[in-house]
């Protein structure tokens, strides 16, 4: 049993011996190159070494020479196993380093085993020698020698051809530039029998290299050859003349052959171009031939054949790479197109607008989800149908003409500019739309993409805006009229009150004067309704409990409804508070109750309901412009005749009424609308003919405690006064009436027709001015501005504002600060006197009459 070390860089060659020798009792050790072989031999001390000649790091001769330097290994027999083709020279070099046995690749297993047995000194069974042949002398012997020599040469040529064929088959498989260079470089070394080989691939037409690889040398040496330069005449001639070049360098220095400085020593050199067709891709060379010093013409021919295969493989690889790059670009373009189509499909499918795509004949090719929701169809119901399916019947014929004209010159344009467009849902309902068109050019022809927007909500908002503008204009007109009208009514009603006070009860004129006062009161109520509608009346809001107001009015509302109407109230026990003017809320309930009664002449049911509600975003979407939040809902519902849509669209218009002439002013619901809006709330009506009507009002809920409602003041004796009052009023008749009445009850009155005149009177007057009674709206200087300057001029002065309407001078949206003293026009003289007394306060001297207190105050003032 022998230990045999196999040193070969070819795995298949090592596997030959691993499978061949163990069955005969031998142990096989493997090494991939000379250095590894030396280390394995030193450690394992084998009985026999089988070594390749051509190996990286060191060749077989160098390996054996290094092996013999170890005393324990100098006698170990060595067999060369190689595909080197110059057998005679190989054997002479082998003999020089003590190697006499050779196994030539490829070799029959029986012959290889026989040579191994011979090297180990084991008996070999040889066949019996044939009978000697009688020859005719020395000529026969020479012929036999020549025959065997020619046979060896033919074997070498056969082996080389087989190697070239093997290389061609290897290069036929795509392996990339690095793999191709590796196969070609190693094949060149082994086919030619050289220590080194190198391949350079040109970067272009010049001498610069794109890549370079050296084979056979030590890896550490190869790594030092970085960015090599091959600019010598040899390499220029190889590329320019496209011919093989051989050279011999006696010194072995790389510079002698124009090789890089770090290249291993070389004496023999052979280089050929890598040529295919009209192009030179680079060059390949072999250097430092084994067994002989120089390369032969045969070597040149073989290397040229090998280079032709490599060049063709390079050309194919480059073409294959070009095809691959083109294929990758196509794949990328296809992937991008698929991604773009997917993005387009997702964008179309998730678009918030409806999209319908039709061909040039008007047949629907595609629709998105929003269009399906908009029209109420399934996709299969629309694909292939004509676009006219989505139009009202009256527009279908004309649309065909529009489509025909559009397809003659397709272009992007909005459709329906300056005209109303309508679409039709599956259930037959029509709705307004806005449509834009755009052409899509495809291989199948031009498609038309229609983007459709349902503008129903926009139309509603536009109508709401127009209504708001109309009501705002009417409101401004109402406010302007009410300002002057209230001044006149104050004079009429005030003078009537004064006259009635002066006349004895049985005077013939009393009845006439009472008629005047009653007419003035009716006119004042009408004016208040106008101001309530236009939201220009001055409110005095407070935190209210709606339950208290409704319950307090229950008897009145029940009597108002009558016996043939069932009246019910439904109030949530935990009803929240709201902030509003209590008198205005009462007016809302009265107006709605009267309307409900008139809608049920044959009787019915009237219900007032109040409960807490939460208005969310979904409610806001259907009821613009609601602000989501917490509200108290107050509803008045009847089972009367109801209203059609046209009537519902106008019920809040001032002076609009469905009642007979003389039975309605048309201001009831306009007043309700104005009060609710001025209180920060919202109101909607729901009604159907023959099914009744319900008005729902939503007032913002507040988290404060409700203030108790005040009882209405009864007529009482007006206390006399003695203080000095500065009266600022631009209406001459009203100013005169107020001055005369106030003087009649003991006050000293300084009158002024404007804010500037009042301020000047205050500066000129030496006595005490106890109170300023000023109109809010006056020319040049408003009441609030006058009051501010008066307080600075005379600290401690009291102020009462009066006005027939608001222009936001007193408070935002006519909501009055509770701390401000105010009396609404048209006021009654007694109401004015009570307000003044309330503002100034009762005399504070115990036991003194008002006259005595005035006397004291006057004397103090005079002092």
């Amino acid at each position: 049993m022998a230990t045999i070390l196999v040193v070969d860089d070819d795995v298949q060659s090592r596997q030959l011996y691993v499978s061949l020798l163990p069955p005969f009792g031998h142990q096989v050790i493997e090494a991939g190159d000379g250095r590894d072989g030396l280390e394995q031999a030193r450690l394992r001390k084998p009985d026999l070494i089988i070594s390749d000649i051509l190996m990286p790091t060191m060749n077989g001769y160098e390996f054996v020479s290094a092996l013999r330097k170890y005393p324990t290994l100098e006698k170990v027999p060595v067999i060369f196993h190689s595909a080197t083709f110059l057998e005679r020279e190989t054997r002479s070099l082998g003999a020089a380093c003590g190697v006499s046995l050779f196994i030539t690749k490829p070799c029959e297993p029986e012959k290889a085993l026989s040579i191994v047995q011979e090297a180990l000194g084991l008996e070999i069974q040889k066949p019996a020698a044939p009978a000697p042949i009688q020859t005719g002398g020395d000529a026969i012997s020479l012929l036999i020698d020549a025959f065997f020599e020619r046979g060896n040469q033919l074997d070498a040529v056969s082996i080389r051809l087989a190697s070239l064929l093997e290389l061609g088959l290897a290069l036929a498989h795509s392996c990339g530039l690095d793999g191709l260079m590796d196969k070609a470089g190693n094949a060149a070394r082994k086919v030619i029998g050289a220590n080194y080989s190198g391949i350079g691939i040109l970067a272009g037409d010049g001498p610069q290299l794109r890549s370079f690889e050296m084979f056979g040398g030590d890896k550490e040496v190869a790594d030092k050859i970085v960015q090599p330069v091959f600019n010598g005449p040899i390499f220029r001639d190889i590329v320019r003349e496209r011919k093989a070049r051989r050279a011999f360098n006696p010194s072995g220095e790389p510079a002698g052959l124009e090789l890089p400085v770090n290249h291993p020593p070389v004496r023999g050199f052979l280089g050929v171009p890598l040529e295919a067709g009209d192009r030179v891709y680079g060059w390949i060379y072999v250097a430092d031939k084994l067994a002989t010093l120089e390369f032969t013409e045969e070597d040149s021919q073989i290397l040229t054949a090998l280079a032709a295969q490599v060049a063709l493989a390079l050309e194919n690889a480059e073409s294959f790479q070009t095809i691959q790059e083109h294929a990758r670009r196509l794949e990328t373009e296809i992937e991008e197109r698929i991604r773009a189509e997917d993005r387009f499909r997702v964008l179309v499918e998730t678009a918030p607008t409806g999209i319908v795509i039709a061909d040039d004949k008007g047949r629907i090719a595609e629709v998105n989800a929003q269009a399906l929701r908009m029209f109420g169809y399934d996709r299969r119901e629309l694909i292939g149908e004509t676009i006219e399916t989505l139009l009202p019947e009256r527009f279908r014929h004309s649309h065909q003409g529009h489509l025909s004209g559009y397809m003659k010159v397709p272009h992007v344009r909005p459709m329906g500019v300056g005209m109303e467009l309508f679409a039709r849902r599956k259930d037959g309902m029509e709705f307004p739309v806005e449509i834009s068109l755009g052409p899509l050019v495809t291989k199948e022809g031009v498609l038309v993409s229609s983007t459709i927007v349902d503008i129903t909500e926009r139309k509603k908002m536009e109508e709401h805006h127009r209504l708001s503008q109309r009501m705002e204009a009417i409101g401004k007109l109402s406010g302007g009229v009410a300002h002057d009208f209230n001044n006149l009514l104050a004079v009429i009603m005030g003078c009537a009150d004064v006259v009635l006070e002066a006349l004895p009860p049985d005077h013939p004129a009393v009845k006439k004067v009472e008629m005047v006062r009653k007419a003035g009161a009716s006119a004042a109520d009408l004016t208040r309704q106008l101001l309530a509608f236009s939201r220009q009346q001055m409110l005095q809001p407070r935190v209210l409990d709606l339950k208290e107001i409704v319950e307090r009015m229950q008897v009145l509302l029940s009597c108002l409804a009558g016996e043939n109407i069932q009246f019910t109230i439904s109030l949530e026990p935990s009803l929240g508070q709201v902030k509003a003017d209590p008198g205005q809320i009462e007016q809302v309930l009265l107006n709605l109750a009267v309307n409900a009664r008139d809608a049920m002449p044959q009787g019915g049911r009237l219900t007032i309901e109040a409960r807490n509600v939460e208005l969310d975003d979904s409610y806001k979407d259907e009821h613009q412009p609601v602000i989501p939040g917490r509200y108290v809902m107050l509803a008045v519902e009847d089972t009367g005749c109801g209203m059609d849509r046209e009537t519902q669209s106008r019920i809040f218009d001032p002076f609009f009424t469905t009642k007979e002439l003389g039975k309605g002013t048309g201001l009831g619901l306009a007043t309700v609308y104005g009060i609710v809006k001025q209180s920060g709330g919202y109101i909607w009506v729901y009604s159907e003919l023959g099914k009744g009507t319900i008005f729902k009002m939503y007032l913002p809920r507040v988290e404060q405690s409700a203030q108790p409602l005040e009882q209405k003041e009864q007529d009482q004796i007006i206390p006399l006064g003695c203080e000095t009052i500065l009266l600022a009023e631009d209406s001459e008749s009203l100013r005169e009436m107020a001055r005369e009445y106030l003087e009649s009850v003991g006050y000293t009155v300084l009158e002024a027709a404007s804010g500037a005149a009042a301020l000047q009177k205050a500066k000129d007057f030496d006595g005490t001015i106890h109170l300023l009674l000023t109109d809010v709206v006056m020319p040049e200087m408003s009441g609030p501005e006058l009051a501010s300057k008066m307080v600075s001029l005379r600290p401690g002065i009291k102020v009462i504002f009066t006005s027939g309407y608001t222009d936001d001078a007193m408070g935002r949206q006519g909501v009055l600060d509770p701390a401000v003293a105010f009396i609404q026009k048209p006021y009654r003289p007694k109401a004015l006197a009570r307000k003044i007394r309330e503002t100034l306060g009762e005399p504070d001297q115990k036991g003194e009459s008002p006259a005595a207190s005035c006397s004291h105050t006057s004397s103090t003032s005079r002092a």
Side-chain angles (χ1 to χ4, degrees):
M1 179 178 179
T3 299
I4 301 174
L5 172 63
V6 180
V7 183
D8 198 320
D9 62 323
D10 183 41
V11 176
Q12 293 180 346
S13 297
R14 297 201 305 268
Q15 287 298 316
L16 169 67
Y17 295 104
V18 169
S19 61
L20 177 65
L21 298 177
F24 292 92
H26 304 305
Q27 181 184 8
V28 178
I29 305 169
E30 297 181 62
D33 57 28
R35 286 185 178 179
D36 188 21
L38 285 175
E39 184 65 17
Q40 293 290 342
R42 187 178 63 81
L43 294 175
R44 305 294 294 273
K45 296 181 177 53
D47 300 308
L48 174 65
I49 297 174
I50 303 174
S51 175
D52 191 10
I53 296 177
L54 289 175
M55 294 184 295
T57 68
M58 60 175 62
N59 58 40
Y61 307 118
E62 294 171 337
F63 167 68
V64 174
S65 298
L67 184 74
R68 299 308 183 197
K69 293 180 181 179
Y70 292 96
T72 57
L73 300 174
E74 61 181 350
K75 299 298 184 179
V76 176
V78 177
I79 301 174
F80 273 158
H81 175 214
S82 177
T84 303
F85 308 116
L86 299 176
E87 186 175 335
R88 181 174 296 174
E89 291 83 350
T90 300
R91 289 182 179 276
S92 63
L93 285 175
C97 60
V99 179
S100 59
L101 296 175
F102 296 86
I103 299 175
T104 304
K105 300 178 183 178
C107 179
E108 294 294 329
E110 292 81 2
K111 184 176 181 180
L113 182 62
S114 174
I115 296 172
V116 169
Q117 298 288 75
E118 180 183 350
L120 290 173
L122 301 176
E123 291 185 2
I124 304 172
Q125 297 295 329
K126 296 182 179 180
I133 301 175
Q134 298 297 322
T135 63
D138 294 338
I140 299 297
S141 177
L142 291 174
L143 286 173
I144 291 173
D145 289 343
F147 174 77
F148 279 107
E149 179 69 19
R150 177 62 62 183
N152 288 335
Q153 291 176 356
L154 289 175
D155 286 344
V157 171
S158 176
I159 291 171
R160 283 180 165 176
L161 289 174
S163 298
L164 288 173
L165 179 60
E166 182 181 356
L167 174 64
L169 292 174
L171 295 180
H173 296 85
S174 175
C175 55
L177 180 61
D178 292 339
L180 190 151
M181 293 175 68
D182 182 71
K183 290 179 180 179
N186 286 310
R189 285 182 60 232
K190 293 187 177 183
V191 170
I192 301 299
N195 263 334
Y196 312 108
S197 68
I199 299 179
I201 305 299
L202 298 174
D205 295 334
Q208 297 298 323
L209 295 180
R210 183 177 66 181
S211 60
F212 170 75
E213 192 74 32
M214 190 184 80
F215 305 91
D218 191 341
K219 185 176 185 304
E220 296 178 358
V221 175
D223 290 342
K224 293 179 181 178
I225 306 177
V226 180
Q227 296 181 341
V229 178
F230 296 86
N231 289 335
I234 290 179
F235 292 98
R236 287 201 300 269
D237 290 347
I238 290 173
V239 174
R240 183 170 55 247
E241 297 178 6
R242 303 187 180 187
K243 292 182 179 179
R245 287 292 307 273
R246 284 182 289 162
F248 181 72
N249 181 29
S251 66
E253 291 295 325
L257 292 173
E258 299 153 349
L259 296 172
V261 176
N262 293 317
H263 199 288
V266 172
R267 287 184 295 174
F269 174 87
L270 170 62
V272 298
L274 296 173
E275 179 182 8
D278 296 333
R279 181 176 174 183
V280 176
Y281 289 91
W283 36 254
I284 182 171
Y285 73 83
V286 289
D288 199 13
K289 184 173 181 180
L290 296 173
T292 61
L293 296 178
E294 297 187 59
F295 293 97
T296 64
E297 179 62 27
E298 183 182 355
D299 294 330
S300 177
Q301 294 173 358
I302 293 173
L303 188 60
T304 300
L306 185 148
Q309 292 187 71
V310 174
L312 184 60
L314 280 171
E315 184 179 53
N316 292 337
E318 191 172 81
S319 299
F320 180 68
Q321 183 178 5
T322 301
I323 293 172
Q324 280 187 317
E325 290 176 356
H326 183 63
R328 279 194 296 271
R329 284 196 299 270
L330 287 177
E331 288 176 0
T332 302
E333 290 176 3
I334 291 171
E335 289 174 359
E336 284 296 327
R337 179 172 295 179
I338 291 174
R339 281 196 293 269
E341 289 176 354
D342 289 341
R343 286 195 297 268
F344 175 75
R345 188 176 294 107
V346 170
L347 288 173
V348 168
E349 193 65 17
T350 59
T353 57
I355 298 176
V356 178
I357 300 175
D359 61 17
D360 56 352
K361 303 298 183 183
R363 291 185 297 268
I364 297 174
E366 189 57 72
V367 290
N368 72 342
Q370 179 61 23
L372 294 174
R373 285 191 294 269
M374 185 184 299
F375 289 98
Y377 286 94
D378 291 334
R379 193 180 301 273
R380 63 179 179 274
E381 293 177 311
L382 282 182
I383 301 301
E385 296 294 326
T386 62
I387 196 72
E388 285 80 20
T389 304
L390 305 177
L391 298 177
E393 185 71 35
R394 63 185 184 278
F395 294 135
R396 292 179 180 178
H397 180 72
S398 60
H399 180 267
Q400 293 174 355
H402 292 321
L403 178 62
S404 176
Y406 177 82
M407 293 307 301
K408 291 179 181 178
V409 187
H411 60 283
V412 176
R413 71 171 178 87
M415 182 176 178
V417 175
M419 59 185 294
E420 292 289 337
L421 294 175
F422 288 90
R424 181 182 180 273
R425 294 190 173 94
K426 181 180 178 180
D427 60 7
M429 180 180 291
E430 296 183 11
F431 60 100
V433 293
E434 184 178 86
I435 302 176
S436 62
L437 301 179
L440 299 174
V441 180
T442 68
K443 293 185 296 183
E444 292 77 16
V446 177
L447 301 177
V448 181
S449 174
S450 304
T451 302
I452 306 169
V453 179
D454 183 348
I455 59 173
T456 302
E457 290 302 319
R458 192 174 79 188
K459 287 289 186 182
K460 288 181 179 178
M461 292 183 67
E462 289 174 355
E463 181 61 30
H464 178 76
H465 181 63
R466 284 193 293 270
L467 177 62
S468 298
Q469 287 181 321
R470 187 168 70 247
M471 295 178 74
E472 185 70 23
I474 296 173
K476 288 182 179 180
L477 175 62
S478 302
V481 170
H483 175 256
D484 294 332
F485 196 44
N486 273 326
N487 286 339
L488 297 175
L489 287 174
V491 175
I492 293 171
M493 295 169 64
C495 290
D497 284 346
V498 171
V499 171
L500 283 175
E501 288 287 336
L503 291 175
D506 56 350
H507 195 282
V510 168
K511 189 175 181 179
K512 301 293 186 183
V513 175
E514 285 182 347
M515 291 176 62
V516 171
R517 184 170 64 176
K518 186 176 180 180
S522 298
D525 289 339
L526 184 60
T527 306
R528 275 194 298 272
Q529 287 183 323
L530 281 172
L531 290 174
F533 153 71
S534 62
R535 286 171 274 168
Q536 296 191 64
Q537 68 184 62
M538 192 70 75
L539 299 182
Q540 293 180 290
R542 57 194 305 168
V543 179
L544 302 177
D545 183 351
L546 281 181
K547 287 194 300 180
E548 184 180 353
I549 291 180
V550 175
E551 289 171 352
R552 192 173 75 171
M553 295 187 66
Q554 183 171 0
V555 176
L556 174 61
L557 294 174
S558 179
C559 294
L560 189 66
E563 295 181 356
N564 63 340
I565 294 177
Q566 181 184 350
F567 177 59
T568 58
I569 293 177
S570 175
L571 306 175
E572 185 175 331
S574 58
L575 193 66
Q577 280 73 46
V578 298
K579 193 170 186 178
D581 188 312
Q584 299 301 319
I585 298 300
E586 291 175 357
Q587 189 175 353
V588 166
L589 289 172
L590 286 171
N591 286 354
L592 292 178
V594 169
N595 270 14
R597 180 199 63 192
D598 294 343
M600 299 182 289
Q602 306 302 321
R605 186 172 61 255
L606 171 63
T607 303
I608 295 179
E609 179 188 5
R611 57 186 174 87
N612 298 323
V613 294
E614 297 273 350
L615 302 184
D616 55 15
D617 289 329
S618 62
Y619 189 88
K620 172 188 175 181
D621 293 339
E622 298 179 4
H623 299 81
Q624 293 286 350
V626 164
I627 299 174
R630 294 152 54 88
Y631 291 83
V632 173
M633 188 271 291
L634 179 62
V636 177
E637 182 177 8
D638 66 66
T639 57
C641 59
M643 295 178 282
D644 58 23
R645 288 184 176 273
E646 183 179 356
T647 302
Q648 291 179 55
S649 67
R650 300 189 58 194
I651 56 172
F652 295 125
D653 286 2
F655 308 114
F656 173 76
T657 180
T658 58
K659 298 177 183 178
E660 298 177 13
L661 184 63
K663 291 189 176 182
T665 62
L667 287 173
L669 291 178
T671 300
V672 170
Y673 181 88
I675 291 173
V676 172
K677 288 296 183 181
Q678 196 173 12
S679 299
Y682 308 95
I683 182 170
W684 277 276
V685 60
Y686 307 90
S687 183
E688 290 186 40
L689 286 173
K691 295 185 179 181
T693 301
I694 178 171
F695 287 89
K696 288 187 177 181
M697 292 153 287
Y698 296 89
L699 299 175
R701 207 184 319 170
V702 297
E703 302 299 330
Q704 299 174 30
S705 299
Q707 298 171 268
L709 295 176
E710 297 178 357
Q711 298 298 322
K712 293 185 177 180
E713 295 187 55
Q714 302 297 325
D715 289 340
Q716 57 185 335
I717 299 174
I718 302 302
L720 299 177
C722 60
E723 292 88 348
T724 300
I725 298 174
L726 176 57
L727 173 61
E729 171 62 61
D730 60 331
S731 172
E732 182 179 357
S733 57
L734 180 56
R735 187 173 67 248
E736 182 179 352
M737 186 275 293
R739 176 183 56 78
E740 289 179 355
Y741 180 77
L742 291 176
E743 287 178 344
S744 71
V745 294
Y747 293 102
T748 301
V749 180
L750 306 175
E751 60 178 303
S754 65
L759 192 61
Q760 189 60 48
K761 284 216 171 185
K763 292 178 181 178
D764 297 339
F765 186 68
D766 294 333
T768 301
I769 300 178
H770 300 84
L771 182 138
L772 169 65
L773 175 61
T774 178
D775 192 4
V776 172
V777 181
M778 293 187 297
E780 300 178 6
M781 183 184 296
S782 69
E785 187 180 356
L786 170 62
S788 176
K789 293 183 178 181
M790 282 296 296
V791 169
S792 299
L793 182 63
R794 291 178 175 265
I797 190 172
K798 303 289 186 179
V799 180
I800 297 177
F801 293 103
T802 179
S803 180
Y805 82 115
T806 176
D807 63 350
D808 278 3
M810 289 293 294
R812 187 172 182 271
Q813 295 182 344
V815 178
L816 193 63
D817 187 339
V820 176
F822 175 79
I823 185 168
Q824 179 80 44
K825 290 182 180 180
Y827 49 75
R828 308 286 283 272
K830 288 183 179 181
L832 177 60
R834 281 196 298 270
K835 191 68 176 181
I836 291 173
R837 192 71 269 160
E838 175 188 326
T839 305
L840 289 174
E842 296 296 333
D844 57 0
Q845 288 82 0
K846 291 183 179 180
E848 289 188 350
S849 66
S853 176
C854 287
S855 233
H856 174 75
T857 304
S858 298
S859 62
T860 302
S861 298
R862 285 194 297 271

